[in-house]
Amino acid sequence: MNQRAPIEEQIDLPFVESLRISFQSLKIRFGRSIITTAGITLGIAFLVSVWTNNEINLALQESGRQSQINTFEETTQQGISTKDIWLIIMSLIVCVVGIANSMLMAVTERFREIGTMKCLGALDGFVVRLFLLESGFQGFSGALIGALLGTLGAIILGLKDYGLDLFFYFPLLPAQPEEGAMQLGVIVVILLGCVLGMILAVIGSSFPAWRAAKLPPAEAMRTEV
Amino acid sequence: MADIVVKTEDVVKEYRMGSNVLRALDGINIEINRGEYISLMGPSGSGKSTLFNMIGALDRPTEGRVYIDGQNMSQLSQRQIAAFRCHRVGYIFQSYNLLHVRSAHGNVTLPMIFAGIPEKERDEKAEKLLDMVGLGDRIYHLPDELSGGQRQRVAIARALANDPSIILADEPTANLDTITGREIIDLIKRLNKEQGVTVISATHDLKMLDVSDRIVDIRDGLVERIRNRDEIEIEVGEVGGE
Ligand SMILES: Nc1ncnc2c1ncn2[C@@H]1O[C@H](COP(=O)(O)OP(=O)(O)OP(=O)(O)O)[C@@H](O)[C@H]1O
Ligand SMILES: [Mg+2]
């Protein structure tokens, strides 16, 4: 049997090239990208609004106690109530499930694309990197918008409950009252929301993308959505 | 001695679905010469696409070996397989499989991006190839803006991007009308004749018969018979009225 040149090793793509491909893909799929990003935004907005609302309650109850303005009835408790913890956990679950779901959907409908790229010579690593970049960008922008919207929501609720007092005692920065729970402050909550949204989006997208990239292309291309 | 590009040895492919095992290929032995135009024919479900996937390294055989250019494909690393798909084979599918987020030009340049070809060079080549398949005036259209025949032409241009030595086509005309199908077949045949590309095509399309050098009939995962061109011509005369 005639030997031709031995089969060489596939090269890695320069980072800039991957970046370009991922942005082109986000741009052309703009409508779809927006829907996926909106999923992230909603999840984070919900979580951050509940959380910020809780921070506001803590701060204003604290201030109410210190300044002896007994705005709050005797039922006022120190720290976070069980109900609040429950709310935060619930919103965290909603957020995790919502984001994981919208990323999973977005990847699943692209199995065929993944298989096709592998036919054209894409390495598994390239496929994963592409989804990492796309979801990282979507995750960050979606979560940032969500965190800001959530904070806005919590402020509006706070105004309703506390009036303009809210702005005097607004828990912007972390604080440790003499007694009671540590308060994270709204800035930290926003930051945490952004980081969480981005991490969830990246994991939610790269993990299924990695699984799809591992499949033989024939199998990846069979999936019809 | 003939120059053999593709050789399969007792290739078996089983699909496992729960406790059921479906034997889609039941020991396929074929040798394909460089520059040949081979058609794989057979009824639906006979295993044509499965064999296509084995030869193109798009899936792994359960048993047996596939040799391309003398290389045992099961011994290649991931990187070598990716390079093989990128450089040695051009794939054409029934459903085109274009990336719908990339224009005709973007689809044709992608394999060249993976091959590390500089931007200027790949732009020129993409234009040349799209021109050759008759899409010179639709270079920046998205696949959704093209007809079926035009999409298949983009797929052909893309398959040729890195000058492969083998073109694998799985029912490339099945979604096209007779005339468009004929044009696509002529285009593939031209590449086969002028550039010496080996063509391996699964097909139901009788129009493919008279351009083939050999026809491999597949039935129930086995090679039923292999016919040469001269044996075919008589039969083509019979179906010519179609
Ligand atoms: N991924 C899979 N999982 C399970 N069974 C499969 C899979 N792919 C193919 N098969 C089965 O293997 C057999 C051969 O299928 P294949 O697609 O190779 O047929 P084919 O000759 O290409 O048919 P067609 O002309 O309809 O395209 C069929 O019975 C099919 O159901
Ligand atoms: Mg088939």
Side-chain angles (χ1 to χ4, degrees):
Chain A
M1 206 184 286
N2 260 27
Q3 299 277 138
R4 267 189 37 156
I7 292 167
E8 57 280 31
E9 300 246 307
Q10 181 67 308
I11 53 165
D12 278 312
L13 221 52
F15 183 73
V16 188
E17 209 70 81
S18 309
L19 202 64
R20 249 172 68 177
I21 294 175
S22 66
F23 270 92
Q24 266 170 359
S25 165
L26 280 173
K27 200 174 84 188
I28 298 216
R29 230 190 288 273
F30 189 71
R32 187 64 186 84
S33 312
I34 289 287
I35 292 174
T36 308
T37 309
I40 301 166
T41 303
L42 281 178
I44 295 295
F46 183 43
L47 176 67
V48 167
S49 68
V50 171
W51 205 346
T52 302
N53 180 259
N54 192 65
E55 290 292 319
I56 288 176
N57 286 343
L58 283 180
L60 275 102
Q61 287 163 15
E62 186 71 25
S63 69
R65 223 161 16 80
Q66 276 169 2
S67 55
Q68 306 301 321
I69 316 168
N70 203 11
T71 336
F72 312 108
E73 332 70 61
E74 294 68 39
T75 53
T76 305
Q77 287 174 358
Q78 283 182 20
I80 311 175
S81 71
T82 330
K83 188 186 119 233
D84 291 337
I85 291 178
W86 202 75
L87 246 175
I88 290 184
I89 290 176
M90 279 304 292
S91 57
L92 196 65
I93 292 172
V94 168
C95 175
V96 170
V97 173
I99 292 180
N101 182 50
S102 62
M103 297 320 283
L104 185 67
M105 295 263 299
V107 178
T108 309
E109 61 193 28
R110 291 172 69 185
F111 267 39
R112 203 187 180 83
E113 186 184 336
I114 293 175
T116 306
M117 286 195 292
K118 286 190 65 177
C119 284
L120 305 179
L123 288 165
D124 297 2
F126 166 78
V127 173
V128 176
R129 182 149 23 118
L130 192 65
F131 280 85
L132 235 132
L133 286 170
E134 283 186 29
S135 60
F137 179 74
Q138 286 183 307
F140 181 74
S141 50
L144 184 64
I145 297 170
L148 295 177
L149 285 178
T151 308
L152 192 71
I155 289 177
I156 292 171
L157 272 180
L159 279 176
K160 195 179 121 270
D161 287 349
Y162 306 110
L164 289 175
D165 266 1
L166 176 69
F167 294 117
F168 288 111
Y169 302 106
F170 193 73
L172 198 60
L173 298 171
Q176 175 65 68
E178 283 142 42
E179 25 180 334
M182 162 85 184
Q183 290 164 19
L184 288 174
V186 173
I187 287 188
V188 174
V189 171
I190 291 179
L191 281 177
L192 283 176
C194 287
V195 171
L196 184 74
M198 194 157 144
I199 290 176
L200 286 175
V202 167
I203 295 175
S205 154
S206 316
F207 181 67
W210 173 76
R211 298 248 325 244
K214 283 257 162 273
L215 287 178
E219 225 163 294
M221 285 189 299
R222 272 173 68 90
T223 38
E224 296 284 351
V225 178
Chain B
M1 207 181 87
D3 178 4
I4 294 167
V5 204
V6 176
K7 178 178 170 163
T8 68
E9 273 179 7
D10 303 319
V11 168
V12 171
K13 178 68 181 179
E14 289 177 344
Y15 291 107
R16 230 162 273 274
M17 289 157 295
S19 56
N20 288 339
V21 175
L22 192 140
R23 209 168 168 92
L25 295 180
D26 196 11
I28 297 270
N29 291 288
I30 47 172
E31 291 186 349
I32 297 169
N33 301 315
R34 195 173 302 285
E36 260 191 314
Y37 192 123
I38 294 273
S39 286
L40 305 173
M41 292 204 109
S44 185
S46 55
K48 302 182 296 294
S49 298
T50 308
L51 182 58
F52 171 98
N53 291 336
M54 300 300 131
I55 296 175
L58 300 183
D59 206 347
R60 287 175 176 278
T62 313
E63 287 167 33
R65 289 151 302 280
V66 176
Y67 296 91
I68 313 262
D69 290 325
Q71 260 281 354
N72 184 345
M73 296 305 286
S74 65
Q75 288 171 350
L76 297 185
S77 69
Q78 288 298 317
R79 274 182 190 270
Q80 283 177 311
I81 290 194
F84 168 80
R85 294 182 189 131
C86 188
H87 294 272
R88 301 277 172 107
V89 191
Y91 305 88
I92 303 171
F93 300 93
Q94 173 180 347
S95 47
Y96 325 124
N97 281 2
L98 297 177
L99 300 179
H100 66 272
V101 292
R102 295 175 73 86
S103 65
H105 179 271
N107 267 279
V108 179
T109 50
L110 196 57
M112 295 189 264
I113 295 179
F114 292 142
I117 293 170
E119 185 165 359
K120 193 159 163 289
E121 207 177 307
R122 47 182 208 242
D123 284 350
E124 280 167 11
K125 180 117 184 228
E127 278 174 33
K128 201 190 92 198
L129 286 170
L130 285 166
D131 217 30
M132 187 196 76
V133 299
L135 288 176
D137 54 341
R138 292 204 166 54
I139 288 183
Y140 294 104
H141 285 238
L142 288 172
D144 292 348
E145 300 160 359
L146 298 172
S147 72
Q150 290 169 337
R151 287 181 207 183
Q152 199 56 297
R153 286 162 190 275
V154 176
I156 292 174
R158 184 178 73 180
L160 294 171
N162 289 326
D163 302 311
S165 50
I166 304 168
I167 294 246
L168 275 172
D170 193 1
E171 311 206 24
T173 58
N175 287 350
L176 304 173
D177 63 66
T178 317
I179 294 170
T180 317
R182 180 84 243 175
E183 288 168 3
I184 295 294
I185 293 170
D186 288 344
L187 181 56
I188 298 176
K189 182 62 190 175
R190 218 177 82 210
L191 298 168
N192 170 243
K193 259 208 202 120
E194 291 172 6
Q195 308 187 11
V197 186
T198 309
V199 176
I200 305 169
S201 174
T203 189
H204 286 298
D205 192 341
L206 293 171
K207 296 191 292 300
M208 282 264 192
L209 286 176
D210 60 341
V211 298
S212 309
D213 296 318
R214 285 196 293 163
I215 294 177
V216 179
D217 287 300
I218 311 268
R219 187 175 288 269
D220 297 330
L222 282 166
V223 176
E224 190 182 40
R225 58 175 170 168
I226 301 182
R227 288 176 287 170
N228 276 321
R229 189 183 171 78
D230 40 353
E231 301 167 56
I232 304 159
E233 258 152 20
I234 313 150
E235 294 168 47
V236 174
E238 285 167 13
V239 299
E242 274 215 3

